[in-house]
Amino acid sequence: MKDLAYFKIEEDMTPRDASDALEMAKKAGFDEVIVYHHEKADITNASYLEQLLSLFRGAYRHKVALYIADDRYDFSGTGFGQLSSVKELWQKVMVIKEKSEVCQGEEILCEYKDNCVVATLPPALDKFPYGHMPDLTNPDSARLIIEGVYKPLINEFKKFVGYEFRGFLCNCPIWDCAEYETVPYSKAAVERFLEDAPLPEVDLFFAAAKEESPSAGWSDYLECFDIEESFVLPLKKFCDENNLELAIATGTSSVSEEFGKENSSIFINPYGDNCYMPDVAKSYDAVLAYKHKCGCVIKIAKGMEMLKNIGRIFEEYPNCDCVKLCDFKGTDKNCCVLINHKKEEVSLGLLMPGEWAIYDWERDIVYDFEPKRTYTFPPESFLCLVKKEGAMYPEPLGIKAGGVITKELEVAETIPYKEEGGKFTFTLPGEGLSGKYIELAGDGGYVAVKLGYNQYKTLTRAVYPLYDFLCGQECRGETDGKITEIRIMKETEA
C-alpha cells in the first residue's frame, strides 16, 4: 500500500508553511499527500487560491503529489459549500402526519385512513453553516460539485494536473445525516422500496416510523439508498477524462467497501482490509489501523516517520496476536502486540513462557524481554513482543520500550524550565543523578530533547536515564504541544 500523509490548510498558512510541511512529509518518506480545507475555505476567493497555489508550488519543489479534498467541513459530507447553499438540493426526510397537518411544499408519499407519509425538509440546524445537508442521491448534486469545485480547480491549476495535482478526494459522501435523527428521504430509494415491498403503502409507514414490518420495513428501506451511481461514479468519470485519480473516504451511510475499492485509487475506510484509516496522529491510532490490516493516512508533523514504522512489525509478522491486556491469556504465535485500551495506567508483570524479545517501534531496536520486571502501560499504549530467533541480537532492556515504562518510578524532585514557541530549556541538578531518570510531562505527542551527547525523540511518554556526567548540564528540546512539568524520577523502593 502507498504511504499517505494528510495536511490541513489553515487560515493563516503562508507559502513557507506549505513548503515546510511538504518537505517534512517527503523527508519522512511520504510522496502522496491528501489536502483538507479549513472550515471557512472558499475556492472562489483569490486569497485562498493563492494558498492553494503555494501548496502546489511546494509540491513541485519537493516532488510530492497532492489529492485535493472537495469538502470544507469535517462533519458535512462532500462539497458542503457548493451543495448546501442550493435549497433545491437540501436533504428531505420522511415523517408521518395527519392529512390535516400537511403543509405547503410537503409531498404526500402514501395515505392510510387519516394519516399519511410525507417528504419534508427537516428544521435547520445551527451546526450546518447553511442549516441543511445536501441530498447526494439527486444526480444534480454530482453535476454541481463538478461544475462548482472540480472544474474551477482544474482550470486554475491545470499546469499541475496529472503531476503535482494527482487527483481529488471525494470526502465521505453520505446519504443519511445522523444529526437529523429521523428517516432520510430519497425519491429513487422510495421508488425501489415500493417496487419490492409486498404491502407497499403499509410497509412505507413502517419505514417512516423506523420500525420493521412482517414483510418489509426500516432496514429494507435503507438498503434501497444508493449514492454510488448518482454521485460517485460521475465524479470518477470526470476525473478519468481529465487525467486525475479519485480517492474516496467513507464511513456510515456511505458507499460500500466493495464499490470503494473498485472505483478509487485510494479507499479510506477505517475497518476494511487494504483500505486506509484517516487522520492518524497518535501511535495508538496507527496500531489499531495495522491491527485491522489498514494503511494509515498520517498527519504531517514531527515524528511522523515513527508512526509509519509501527507497520513494519505487522509486515514481518502478519499473523501476530494483537490483544487487549485484559484479554491476554498467552499466545502460540511468534509475535504479540499487547494493547492498553483504557484511559488509566496499568502496571503488571508479564510472566510469559519461552524466549521473547521486545520490539521498540520508536527507535527500531529489539531489546531483551525480562519477565520479572514490572511493565507500566500508559493510557492507549502498547508493547510488541516477538519470539527470539537465531539471527536476533537484542540489546539490554532500558527504561522505556516504545511508550511502555519498564521500571516502577516515583518523583524525586521537579526542576524549573523555560518554554516558548514549542522549544524549551532546563538545567539538570548539580549532583546525584546516577541511577535516576528524567520525565518530560506535557500535553503534546512529539518530544525531542538533547541530554549531553544523546538526542532522544518520542511520540509517547518521555522518560530517559540520567548519569552523573550530566550534572549541571543545560539541556534543550522541542515539542508539538506544551511541557507541563519536568521531573527527576527514581526507582520505587520495595
Side-chain angles (χ1 to χ4, degrees):
M1 299 181 74
K2 300 177 179 180
D3 291 324
L4 289 177
Y6 76 91
F7 175 74
K8 184 176 180 181
I9 299 174
E10 301 295 345
E11 288 187 69
D12 59 352
M13 184 193 80
T14 66
R16 179 64 179 271
D17 294 333
S19 180
D20 287 350
L22 295 180
E23 182 181 19
M24 184 184 296
K26 183 70 175 184
K27 288 182 176 178
F30 294 84
D31 299 321
E32 295 177 281
V33 174
I34 290 174
V35 179
Y36 296 101
H37 309 282
H38 65 73
E39 285 74 8
K40 298 179 181 178
D42 180 1
I43 65 167
T44 65
N45 185 286
S47 62
Y48 193 70
L49 291 175
E50 280 295 320
Q51 285 185 310
L52 278 172
L53 179 60
S54 68
L55 205 60
F56 281 116
R57 285 172 173 166
Y60 174 79
R61 185 177 302 116
H62 301 297
K63 305 297 185 241
V64 173
L66 305 179
Y67 291 83
I68 307 299
D70 57 23
D71 195 351
R72 296 127 196 242
Y73 299 94
D74 292 341
F75 55 74
S76 74
T78 300
F80 193 95
Q82 292 295 323
L83 301 184
S84 296
S85 60
V86 182
K87 185 175 182 180
E88 290 75 14
L89 294 180
W90 284 350
Q91 173 71 62
K92 290 184 176 181
V93 297
M94 286 199 309
V95 297
I96 299 173
K97 285 188 169 187
E98 293 185 6
K99 293 180 185 177
S100 59
E101 296 177 343
V102 176
C103 301
Q104 184 176 358
E106 295 181 334
E107 178 185 358
I108 296 177
L109 304 177
C110 67
E111 303 178 33
Y112 182 73
K113 294 184 178 180
D114 294 330
N115 293 326
C116 58
V117 176
V118 301
T120 185
L121 283 173
L125 296 178
D126 292 340
K127 182 176 181 181
F128 306 141
Y130 292 93
H132 292 271
M133 284 288 291
D135 176 12
L136 301 189
T137 67
N138 186 332
D140 284 339
S141 292
R143 179 184 58 79
L144 185 57
I145 200 74
I146 289 171
E147 295 293 332
V149 177
Y150 283 42
K151 282 186 178 179
L153 287 178
I154 288 175
N155 292 335
E156 184 74 26
F157 305 110
K158 56 187 174 184
K159 66 181 179 182
F160 299 104
V161 169
Y163 301 96
E164 294 78 24
F165 195 164
R166 181 64 56 81
F168 286 101
L169 170 70
C170 181
N171 192 14
C172 203
I174 58 173
W175 48 260
D176 181 14
C177 178
E179 285 80 2
Y180 288 148
E181 298 181 349
T182 187
V183 182
Y185 166 75
S186 161
K187 180 180 179 181
V190 169
E191 289 175 350
R192 293 190 193 101
F193 178 77
L194 294 178
E195 283 178 4
D196 297 331
L199 302 170
E201 293 187 353
V202 174
D203 293 332
L204 192 61
F205 268 90
F206 275 96
K210 283 190 175 182
E211 295 178 0
E212 301 296 342
S213 78
S215 51
W218 168 240
S219 58
D220 299 283
Y221 174 66
L222 294 184
E223 290 179 2
C224 295
F225 273 85
D226 175 20
I227 57 174
E228 296 167 355
E229 298 247 355
S230 63
F231 189 77
V232 179
L233 285 182
L235 303 187
K236 183 180 187 304
K237 180 181 177 183
F238 176 81
C239 288
D240 290 342
E241 293 170 347
N242 288 274
N243 194 32
L244 288 167
E245 296 180 4
L246 181 67
I248 300 175
T250 188
T252 303
S253 303
S254 189
V255 300
S256 69
E257 182 177 333
E258 180 182 3
F259 174 89
K261 288 179 178 179
E262 290 180 356
N263 293 280
S264 66
S265 58
I266 299 169
F267 187 48
I268 301 174
N269 178 2
Y271 303 111
D273 289 359
N274 298 315
C275 302
Y276 290 86
M277 182 176 284
D279 299 358
V280 173
K282 300 186 300 183
S283 58
Y284 188 72
D285 298 332
V287 79
L288 291 184
Y290 293 122
K291 173 185 178 181
H292 289 104
K293 302 187 185 304
C294 281
C296 295
V297 186
I298 293 176
K299 181 180 180 180
I300 296 180
K302 294 173 181 175
M304 61 187 297
E305 68 280 358
M306 288 190 278
L307 292 177
K308 182 175 69 171
N309 198 47
I310 293 173
R312 293 182 59 181
I313 197 67
F314 290 87
E315 292 175 4
E316 188 171 345
Y317 300 93
N319 295 315
C320 74
D321 275 344
C322 190
V323 295
K324 298 174 184 177
L325 278 172
C326 59
D327 297 332
F328 183 64
K329 295 179 175 62
T331 179
D332 57 358
K333 305 285 182 64
N334 59 354
C335 177
C336 186
V337 178
L338 301 177
I339 299 174
N340 175 25
H341 68 295
K342 297 183 177 180
K343 299 297 183 182
E344 60 267 10
E345 189 171 88
V346 176
S347 296
L348 73 168
L350 297 172
L351 303 177
M352 298 174 62
E355 294 293 314
W356 293 87
I358 294 175
Y359 174 64
D360 182 352
W361 53 272
E362 284 192 322
R363 303 180 67 190
D364 196 18
I365 294 175
V366 176
Y367 296 117
D368 281 318
F369 170 66
E370 299 181 17
K372 294 184 179 180
R373 284 209 190 188
T374 296
Y375 293 84
T376 300
F377 291 73
E380 297 188 339
S381 64
F382 57 94
L383 183 71
C384 181
L385 293 164
V386 295
K387 280 281 181 70
K388 280 190 177 180
E389 299 173 352
M392 188 181 290
Y393 301 99
E395 297 188 9
L397 182 60
I399 182 65
K400 179 174 180 284
V404 175
I405 308 303
T406 62
K407 293 185 178 182
E408 293 186 85
L409 302 176
E410 61 184 28
V411 178
E413 61 179 304
T414 59
I415 58 177
Y417 61 94
K418 295 180 180 179
E419 183 177 14
E420 184 176 355
K423 299 185 182 297
F424 57 91
T425 60
F426 59 92
T427 301
L428 291 169
E431 59 182 4
L433 294 182
S434 180
K436 293 182 179 178
Y437 308 89
I438 187 166
E439 179 174 13
L440 309 171
D443 60 6
Y446 175 82
V447 176
V449 64
K450 189 173 183 182
L451 303 174
Y453 294 107
N454 292 325
Q455 176 83 26
Y456 297 100
K457 296 179 182 179
T458 183
L459 291 176
T460 55
R461 187 171 172 182
V463 180
Y464 307 111
L466 294 174
Y467 309 95
D468 278 339
F469 65 80
L470 293 173
C471 289
Q473 288 263 6
E474 182 177 307
C475 305
R476 300 178 181 275
E478 61 179 342
T479 178
D480 64 358
K482 184 176 179 61
I483 296 296
T484 56
E485 192 173 55
I486 298 181
R487 311 165 182 142
I488 303 297
M489 310 293 288
K490 63 180 182 178
E491 292 187 42
T492 302
E493 297 180 3

